[in-house]
Amino acid sequence: MGIIDFVRDAGEKLFGRGRAEAAMKDIKADPGNDAKMKAANAAAGDAILDYIKSQNLSATGLTVTFDGSNSTVSVFGVAPDQATKEKIVVAAGNVAGVEKVNDMLTVDKSAPEAQYYTVVSGDTLSKISKQFYGDPNQYQKIFEANKPMLTHPDKIYPGQKLRIPPK
């Protein structure tokens, strides 16, 4: 549990669609309106929750809130295991417009925690694998640890936060 930092301008662009887009337009039209800000935050939280669910990630009582004033997502619930908990946090944080994730999730089955790594320009999973495991051929371990958000080992981008599982 705790606060995990993300790159605000990197990630899935969820706030430009559907209810979240309409709420953001309302805020721009009337920036001092607290009711519209609350509605926009709720729409953004719902968009992030829907995205997490679309990745086939679930937790008992999973709740997602968004605070646009500080670009922070909070995730609550009970994940079935440590890997699912970390994937939910990474999915919530790898959304454009999110700067921090307040991880309030607990787990049914605890396990050693993964490390997090922010991708920089020129990175490959092999390069990251060599850095963390001393062996570039262990890249598949990182790829598997970040499924379903990653669909191919070559499709990573600068600013993306990845889970690096223990050796």
Side-chain angles (χ1 to χ4, degrees):
M1 288 203 277
I3 302 284
I4 297 128
D5 293 323
F6 288 82
V7 176
R8 182 181 175 157
D9 297 328
E12 295 291 322
K13 307 219 181 325
L14 302 181
F15 301 156
R17 303 182 231 174
R19 222 177 98 218
E21 179 182 31
M24 296 301 171
K25 284 181 183 176
D26 283 346
I27 288 175
K28 288 178 183 170
D30 189 4
N33 188 317
D34 287 341
K36 288 183 180 178
M37 179 61 82
K38 187 175 180 180
N41 285 340
D46 290 345
I48 295 168
L49 178 61
D50 290 345
Y51 174 66
I52 292 167
K53 289 179 178 178
S54 77
Q55 300 299 308
N56 295 317
L57 299 169
S58 64
T60 303
L62 182 60
T63 305
V64 177
T65 62
F66 181 74
D67 183 348
S69 67
N70 58 14
S71 304
T72 300
V73 173
S74 295
V75 289
F76 305 87
V78 182
D81 52 52
Q82 187 68 30
T84 301
K85 173 188 172 187
E86 292 166 354
K87 287 181 181 186
I88 289 170
V89 169
V90 168
N94 283 326
V95 169
V98 173
E99 199 169 306
K100 298 178 188 302
V101 174
N102 183 14
D103 173 11
M104 301 300 292
L105 292 163
T106 58
V107 294
D108 278 336
K109 298 177 194 168
S110 64
E113 291 184 16
Q115 297 179 65
Y116 295 104
Y117 176 77
T118 303
V119 176
V120 297
S121 183
D123 272 347
T124 63
L125 289 186
S126 292
K127 183 177 176 184
I128 298 166
S129 174
K130 182 168 174 69
Q131 178 182 336
F132 283 90
Y133 304 130
D135 180 0
N137 294 321
Q138 294 292 314
Y139 75 90
Q140 194 69 27
K141 187 174 187 177
I142 298 170
F143 176 66
E144 291 296 327
N146 288 280
K147 278 184 169 179
M149 285 83 58
L150 290 183
T151 57
H152 191 278
D154 294 334
K155 293 188 177 181
I156 61 174
Y157 55 86
Q160 183 177 30
K161 181 104 38 183
L162 298 174
R163 291 180 60 241
I164 310 296
K167 288 183 179 182

